[in-house]
Amino acid sequence: MPGLPRSESLLERARKVIPGGVNSPVRAFAAVDGDPPFMRRGSGAWIEDVDGNRYLDLVGSWGPLILGHAHPDIIDEVVTVMRDGTSFGCPTEAEVLFAEELCAAHPAVEQVRLCSSGTEATMHAIRLARGATGRDVVIKLDGCYHGAHDAVLVAAGSGVATFARPGSPGIPAAVAALTRTAPFNDLAAVERILDEVDVACVILEAVPGNMGCIVPADGYLDGLAAACRDHGTLLIVDEVMTGFRVARGGACERYGIDADLVCLGKIVGGGLPLAAFGGRREIMQHLSPAGPVYQAGTLSGNPVAVAAGRATLRRLTPDVYARLEAIGQRLEAGLAPTLTELRLSMNRVGSMFTIFFRPEAPTCFAEVQDCDMEAFGHFHRAALDRGVYLPPSQYEAVFLPAILTDTELDALVEALEAALRDSVRGR
Ligand SMILES: *Cc1c(COP(=O)(O)O)cnc(C)c1O
């Protein structure tokens, strides 16, 4: 491995000028006790690091790259738009067309506002819910992730208390105390809080992917929507990960959820910084300048990100979702005997899945925490050695790109089986 020292020195240099060497913590590989490779290019399902090693990429920039890296037609469209200017800070035709497309694609979206990251989308959706209801309290479910802002970067309260604790130094306890938490898949826990206090909104990932992939129990999402309706509480479905992933219309389409507001990100920006929040017109009309709830962004709706989003969404046809479902099924069927034999489990919804290092597939955050994290670390390293780039944490979902060929998929199943055997041997 003659090139290896190069990336090692890059990591050292990075740590001198960037805290921890990375611009987002999970990239540091801390949870798998390793050093991250530095990537220099991607093409289709493959990425290449600075030492020339190639990996089948099952992270896809944490979800956006559903059509793989550097799709030539998408790149062409983006470059063409860029030649006419990268940002105006003025209304453009393309953002109107894009908003129309989002309203048509997502069952819960009648109006939509663009922003630049998923964090912004959920932050603004929560402010909007608070502003529209005149209430302050938010319910968040343990293990769901909604970006890195104060209202949602919280940890579950201890014991029976449902008051959240700050998830990070710097978040005032008084702010965290306005967020109440409940376990995922536990409807009664949410109903108890709704009965006790006036709640502005419940925010959740309908198919959580940020505690590993978790499947909503039958009736759970409908029950949440009904409980919210009964209490005058808004239901915010955070579809930053699931939007255009588990179906074109996201989890709301797949599970028929009646959401008041939804957040979009990742795929919707086609790999560029773009996110959105939208929902019922009467609620969205509270947003400035139509209404009094303030929200803004200098680069919101910029033509480059909008072009990438539009070019991506145009290619997400019913055939693509049929293909994503088929490759997901084929992967699951391929791995099932090995998982059973090794007493491991898997959750999958369409093309997102997680292999869990515990015999029973988890249904909530507490059960995910019960996994053998050390064995997961072995598995991650063994997969990387076999050229498969997986998210470096048990608490993350794996994404299959739609462009994966059957040959690549079969090789992937083989590589994962071998890595699983290694990891169990290693523990
Ligand atoms: C990634 C993610 C976010 C945060 O999006 P950023 O663009 O990283 O700020 C919010 N919610 C969910 C469900 C996500 O998966």
Side-chain angles (χ1 to χ4, degrees), residues 64-90:
L65 302 180
I66 193 166
L67 296 173
H69 290 267
H71 189 297
D73 300 338
I74 297 176
I75 298 293
D76 277 352
E77 286 186 43
V78 172
V79 169
T80 302
V81 165
M82 276 179 89
R83 291 193 200 286
D84 284 334
T86 56
S87 183
F88 303 116
C90 299

Side-chain angles (χ1 to χ4, degrees), residues 43 46 70 84 104 133 137 171 210 275 323 359 383 401:
S43 174
W46 295 83
D84 284 334
T133 59
V137 174
I171 297 176
N210 288 291
R323 175 68 187 157

Side-chain angles (χ1 to χ4, degrees), residues 225-294:
C228 284
R229 216 176 301 122
D230 290 348
H231 290 81
T233 296
L234 302 184
L235 181 65
I236 305 179
V237 179
D238 179 355
E239 298 238 45
V240 170
M241 186 181 284
T242 51
F244 297 96
R245 169 62 67 180
V246 300
R248 190 171 159 84
C252 287
E253 175 187 320
R254 191 169 178 125
Y255 294 97
I257 313 164
D258 193 5
D260 296 300
L261 293 172
V262 296
C263 304
L264 297 167
K266 299 196 168 120
I267 291 173
V268 84
L272 268 74
L274 186 148
F277 60 107
R280 296 211 330 255
R281 181 172 290 105
E282 67 183 65
I283 301 169
M284 293 299 290
Q285 282 294 333
H286 284 82
L287 269 187
S288 180
V293 178
Y294 195 67

Side-chain angles (χ1 to χ4, degrees), residues 47-118:
I47 44 176
E48 184 184 301
D49 69 17
V50 291
D51 302 310
N53 301 305
R54 277 164 51 82
Y55 309 89
L56 190 67
D57 180 16
L58 299 190
V59 178
S61 191
W62 302 93
L65 302 180
I66 193 166
L67 296 173
H69 290 267
H71 189 297
D73 300 338
I74 297 176
I75 298 293
D76 277 352
E77 286 186 43
V78 172
V79 169
T80 302
V81 165
M82 276 179 89
R83 291 193 200 286
D84 284 334
T86 56
S87 183
F88 303 116
C90 299
T92 60
E93 181 184 20
E95 65 194 332
V96 181
L97 301 177
F98 191 39
E100 288 171 354
E101 288 156 10
L102 293 176
C103 292
H106 198 289
V109 178
E110 291 175 354
Q111 284 203 331
V112 64
R113 171 69 55 89
L114 301 182
C115 52
S116 299
S117 72

Side-chain angles (χ1 to χ4, degrees), residues 66-67 244-247 254 267 316-330 348-352 399-404:
I66 193 166
L67 296 173
F244 297 96
R245 169 62 67 180
V246 300
R254 191 169 178 125
I267 291 173
L316 297 179
T317 59
D319 283 352
V320 169
Y321 290 99
R323 175 68 187 157
L324 285 166
E325 201 63 51
I327 59 181
Q329 271 168 17
R330 185 165 165 150
R348 179 184 70 84
V349 174
S351 60
M352 64 187 265
F399 301 108
L400 298 169
I403 46 156
L404 216 54

